Amino acid sequence: MAPEPRPNAADHLDDDDYPAYTMGRAAELIGTTPAFLRSLGEARLITPLRSGGGHRRYSRYQLRIAARARELVDQGTPIDAACRIIILEDQLEEALRLNDELRRREGRSDRAAGS
């Protein structure tokens, strides 16, 4: 039986959900501390994946969320409130996206019925 081909790292370059960043690198990229990232995990805003050795690994998507939390905290928002705001912003964005999708579908079916 032939061994499975090794995944190519380049396959993940466009994957926002690929856990490419160590905790130290993630903290450096968003200008914060590893403790701040751990606090976001404790607040359940982001849940980093774990490497085989148990180390936290973050995706670009998670870094964007962490950067938004850092913005809010830097403006004086308590971390728990910042996490709730981000969750609500995410829910609103998803609701608006679904609303737009439903409107487009409705428009297509109205045009089809009128033909």
Side-chain angles (χ1 to χ4, degrees):
M1 187 167 166
E4 286 189 36
R6 240 178 95 149
N8 183 349
D11 294 342
H12 300 291
L13 289 177
D14 292 331
D15 185 351
D16 264 1
D17 296 317
Y18 183 71
Y21 301 97
T22 62
M23 177 181 276
R25 182 67 178 136
E28 180 183 318
L29 285 170
I30 62 171
T32 192
T33 63
F36 181 78
L37 290 174
R38 279 192 295 276
S39 70
L40 296 180
E42 290 166 8
R44 298 187 181 180
L45 180 63
I46 56 176
T47 304
L49 287 147
R50 299 285 182 148
S51 68
H55 299 283
R56 290 174 180 89
R57 305 284 294 193
Y58 296 87
S59 68
R60 287 189 307 204
Y61 174 74
Q62 290 171 324
L63 292 184
R64 284 195 300 275
I65 291 172
R68 176 69 177 127
R70 182 176 179 264
E71 266 178 39
L72 291 169
V73 169
D74 286 351
Q75 294 169 3
T77 306
I79 195 161
D80 289 342
C83 292
R84 185 69 182 138
I85 288 167
I86 293 166
I87 290 167
L88 290 170
E89 288 173 343
D90 191 50
Q91 289 172 344
L92 176 60
E93 184 179 317
E94 178 67 7
L96 292 171
R97 186 192 65 74
L98 287 171
N99 204 6
D100 286 344
E101 185 179 312
L102 290 172
R103 282 191 180 121
R104 281 194 300 277
R105 284 184 190 170
E106 187 176 285
R108 283 194 300 261
S109 52
D110 286 349
R111 285 191 299 275
S115 300

